[in-house]
Amino acid sequence: MRWFWIDRFDAFVRAKSGSAVKNVSLSEDHLHDHFPGYAVMPNSLVVEGMAQTGGLIVADAINFQKRVVLAKVAAAQFHRDAVPGDTILFDATVLDLKPAGSLVHVTTRIADRGGDGEGFPQGEAELFFAHIDPGEGVPLLFEPEQFVRWLTQMKMYDIGVDEQGNRLDPPWGTEAAVSGLALSSGLTGAGATAFK
Amino acid sequence: MPSRDEIFEKVKTALVDALGVDEDDVAPSATMVGDLGAESIDFLDIVFRLEKAFGIKIPRGELFPEEVLSSADFVVNGKVNAAGIEALKARMPFVDLAKFEANPMVQNFANTLTVEDMVRYVQMKLAAN
């Protein structure tokens, strides 16, 4: 099992905001005993989905030059359970972005059955990411090919735009670019285990 | 320039949001680490919030001079020497170091910084702008 807590990006504006989705399925191992007879997605894993959404936006914003590590979760609140069959919608907004760290607000909604409407508020949190230089005690978090594979799978650059609405080029394409990602690609403390 | 009370209210909001403490806990005399439970990563978060709330720039290490406290020139056997105390006073004129000087072990420094020191720091920054 790998540590993926979002399935796909559906919107992405560089350094500003992004939306991702996760479909909750009863085939996921972690739901089988949580709880027997009443499967519910642990909100700690919803937070990890928030961190993966926000962390990828931040990592892109700093051109993958530092390791983006989830340093703290401030003011998390949850309003309802996410259960099998639900689609969780993650909406992330970058509040502040500085060389040493970033602050991202993420809300989650449960999509309406049938797919229309705004959905129902599920949770919200403010996430603080530290941007760590390679060598500051955080080991390499991903192999480059694996990281590129993940970014590809997330479809971020299929729908990503800059603030002016121009389509983004993906940060890979050449072997050199992939090696660059190897140096820097770090993502969220927990996300770091995605490929172990 | 905002009054001391206006600054205190904004500092309080920043600390409540960053540390998840109750407003009532954020008394001027409360220590950042001992009373409010701030950890090192929280200081980065607090720096972000103070910069935003007051429109100031806080260079790395200015609010918490970790490099002084980890320097072999200033710390011997876990104790800050006279030169180190002078360095701290020069770097942190907004902190009352009298209590720390009485027993200047590095581990005691964490309990030196108070909420009122944060207010004084912001006052100093705003006055310099």
Side-chain angles (χ1 to χ4, degrees):
Chain A
M1 183 170 159
R2 289 188 171 170
W3 198 249
F4 301 134
W5 296 103
I6 49 176
D7 292 333
R8 184 183 69 195
F9 268 71
D10 278 345
F12 171 39
V13 181
R14 175 165 279 168
K16 291 283 166 198
S17 61
S19 301
V21 297
K22 170 177 171 55
N23 290 306
V24 182
S25 167
L26 193 53
S27 66
E28 295 172 47
D29 278 353
H30 70 102
L31 293 176
H32 298 169
D33 299 311
H34 189 276
F35 300 92
Y38 181 71
V40 52
M41 169 107 175
N43 283 329
S44 51
L45 294 176
V46 175
V47 170
E48 179 59 27
M50 293 175 171
Q52 293 187 356
T53 307
L56 281 173
I57 295 168
V58 167
D60 168 85
I62 60 171
N63 204 22
F64 302 96
Q65 292 305 300
K66 292 189 178 185
R67 296 176 187 170
V68 176
V69 175
L70 176 61
K72 64 183 278 193
V73 178
Q77 287 188 61
F78 291 91
H79 313 296
R80 67 168 60 216
D81 291 337
V83 299
D86 282 345
T87 296
I88 307 177
L89 308 172
F90 294 84
D91 295 304
T93 306
V94 178
L95 301 180
D96 207 347
L97 184 64
K98 293 195 166 65
S102 50
L103 195 60
V104 180
H105 184 259
V106 189
T107 61
T108 49
R109 290 171 290 141
I110 303 295
D112 283 345
R113 296 180 82 174
D116 298 330
E118 290 284 302
F120 303 97
Q122 194 269 333
E124 57 192 292
E126 228 171 69
L127 306 179
F128 187 76
F129 296 96
H131 307 164
I132 311 287
D133 280 316
E136 278 191 275
V138 177
L140 179 67
L141 301 179
F142 295 95
E143 292 300 324
E145 292 82 5
Q146 291 171 328
F147 190 64
V148 168
R149 214 177 295 146
W150 188 30
L151 288 176
T152 309
Q153 181 72 53
M154 288 297 104
K155 311 284 185 196
M156 280 179 86
Y157 297 97
D158 294 16
I159 42 87
V161 293
D162 64 16
E163 266 191 275
Q164 286 73 42
N166 303 311
R167 290 290 301 274
L168 301 177
D169 289 327
W172 58 84
T174 65
E175 207 168 305
V178 172
S179 305
L181 284 172
L183 245 189
S184 58
S185 55
L187 201 77
T188 84
T193 59
F195 296 104
K196 289 196 175 149
Chain B
M1 182 160 151
S3 71
R4 183 259 166 215
D5 287 352
E6 286 166 342
I7 293 174
F8 175 70
E9 285 305 316
K10 282 194 185 180
V11 167
K12 185 196 276 187
T13 302
L15 296 179
V16 166
D17 291 346
L19 303 174
V21 291
D22 287 338
E23 282 200 18
D24 294 347
D25 295 334
V26 188
S29 61
T31 59
M32 297 292 295
V33 175
D35 293 332
L36 301 183
E39 296 179 13
S40 60
I41 197 69
D42 293 321
F43 282 95
L44 195 54
D45 188 359
I46 290 164
V47 161
F48 267 51
R49 291 175 198 272
L50 293 180
E51 285 189 336
K52 196 158 208 145
F54 295 102
I56 54 178
K57 285 241 50 90
I58 302 177
R60 194 172 175 178
E62 192 171 274
L63 201 54
F64 199 81
E66 54 219 14
E67 79 280 6
V68 172
L69 297 171
S70 58
S71 160
D73 294 338
F74 297 136
V75 180
V76 180
N77 295 330
K79 197 170 174 179
V80 180
N81 62 21
I85 296 285
E86 287 313 306
L88 288 174
K89 281 182 178 168
R91 288 287 305 278
M92 309 180 81
F94 52 94
V95 178
D96 179 4
L97 288 170
K99 208 169 143 199
F100 177 68
E101 277 186 85
N103 186 14
M105 301 303 289
V106 169
Q107 73 262 27
N108 294 341
F109 190 80
N111 270 329
T112 302
L113 210 56
T114 64
V115 173
E116 188 63 30
D117 292 333
M118 311 296 281
V119 173
R120 272 198 292 268
Y121 173 76
V122 171
Q123 281 179 316
M124 190 185 85
K125 294 294 282 187
L126 290 175
N129 273 354

